[in-house]
Amino acid sequence: MRELYRQELAQLGAELERMGRGVSRAIDRATTALGEADITIAEQTIDADERLDENARTIDEMCVHLLALQGPVASDLRLILSALRLSQTLERQGDLARHLAAIARSTFPTRSIAEPAAGLITRMGRAAAEMGALEERLIITHDTSIADEISRYDDTLDDLQVEVHRLIGDDSVSLTRRQIVDLTLGARFLERFGDHAVSAARRVVFIVEGAREATSEGGIDAHL
C-alpha cells in the first residue's frame, strides 16, 4: 500500500511537470502570435488551452483521490493541497495565454498592438515567456533559487505596464479606441501572467520544502 502511495505521489509530480511545460509553450506561442500577427500560432495556442484544462482536471482528481483514500497527514497533506492549488494557478496562466492569442486572432492580418506601444508589449512578452520557461525549470528541477529570478522578471513586467499606461494617457500619441482596448488588455494579461508565475513559484518552493521535510522525517519522498 505504501509503495502504491509513493507511485501515486510521483505521478502527481509528473503531471505537474507536464502542465508546467504546457504553460511555458503556451505563453511563448501567445506572445509570438501577438507580436507577429501569426494566426496559425494563435489558433494553436487557443486549441492547446483545452489540454491544459484537462491536465488541471487530472491533477485535481488525483489530489482528491489521495485525500480521500490515502488519508495523508502532516507534510504529505501539505504537499497534496499545494499541488491542488498549483494546478489551479497553472490553469489560469493557460487561460491568460489563450486570451492573448485571441487578441492576435481578432485583428488578423493586422497586428493587434499599435506601433507606438509595440516595443513595450514585445518587451513584456519576452519577460512573460522567460518567466514561463523559468517556472517550468523550477517545477522540474526543484531549484528553489529560480523563484528569485521569476520575482525579478515580475518587477520588470510591473514597470513596463506602468509605461504602457503612461503611453495610453499621452495626448500626443494617437490611438483608436480598439487599439487602446487591445493594448490595455494585452498589457494586463501579461502582467497577470507574471503575478501567477510568482504565485506558482512560491507554491513550488512550498511543495519542495514539504517533500524535503517528509524525507528528513523518514516519511514518503513525494518526488514533486
Side-chain angles (χ1 to χ4, degrees):
M1 180 64 73
R2 301 303 285 179
E3 178 60 30
L4 177 60
Y5 187 19
R6 282 194 293 270
Q7 291 174 2
E8 290 175 337
L9 287 172
Q11 168 132 19
L12 177 59
E15 289 294 333
L16 286 169
E17 290 180 11
R18 183 176 296 110
M19 197 169 184
R21 285 191 292 270
V23 167
S24 179
R25 285 194 299 270
I27 190 61
D28 185 61
R29 288 175 175 173
T31 53
T32 297
L34 193 64
E36 300 179 7
D38 192 316
I39 189 65
T40 300
I41 294 178
E43 293 286 1
Q44 290 173 346
T45 305
I46 292 168
D47 292 343
D49 187 54
E50 294 183 10
R51 291 192 291 276
L52 286 173
D53 291 343
E54 181 59 33
N55 285 151
R57 285 191 290 270
T58 297
I59 291 170
D60 290 352
E61 290 171 0
M62 293 176 69
C63 289
V64 169
H65 168 80
L66 287 165
L67 290 170
L69 299 183
Q70 298 294 351
V73 296
S75 57
D76 286 345
L77 179 61
R78 181 173 71 173
L79 293 172
I80 295 167
L81 290 176
S82 295
L84 184 62
R85 292 173 181 171
L86 177 59
S87 73
Q88 295 168 353
T89 300
L90 292 169
E91 191 271 336
R92 292 189 187 104
Q93 287 182 285
D95 288 344
L96 290 165
R98 173 170 54 82
H99 294 334
L100 288 166
I103 292 175
R105 183 177 64 177
S106 69
T107 61
F108 179 81
T110 303
R111 283 186 171 84
S112 303
I113 306 303
E115 187 56 39
L120 288 173
I121 294 300
T122 296
R123 289 164 63 190
M124 289 188 75
R126 287 173 182 165
E130 186 61 34
M131 292 177 82
L134 287 169
E135 192 177 340
E136 176 188 355
R137 277 178 49 202
L138 174 56
I139 293 172
I140 293 173
T141 68
H142 310 163
D143 180 358
T144 55
S145 67
I146 294 173
D148 293 331
E149 294 183 63
I150 291 174
S151 292
R152 286 193 289 272
Y153 273 106
D154 186 52
D155 291 339
T156 298
L157 274 179
D158 291 343
D159 291 341
L160 288 170
Q161 189 187 32
V162 170
E163 291 188 41
V164 169
H165 287 164
R166 286 174 180 164
L167 185 145
I168 292 173
D170 188 342
D171 293 337
S172 67
V173 178
S174 179
L175 296 170
T176 67
R177 289 184 180 179
R178 176 58 186 270
Q179 289 171 335
I180 290 173
V181 169
D182 288 339
L183 175 56
T184 301
L185 289 177
R188 177 58 175 165
F189 294 151
L190 288 165
E191 189 271 337
R192 287 300 296 154
F193 183 93
D195 287 345
H196 285 309
V198 170
S199 177
R202 290 172 179 164
R203 186 60 56 187
V204 173
V205 170
F206 193 64
I207 289 174
V208 171
E209 289 174 349
R212 289 171 181 166
E213 178 183 325
T215 302
S216 66
E217 291 174 353
I220 294 172
D221 184 355
H223 301 293
L224 295 180

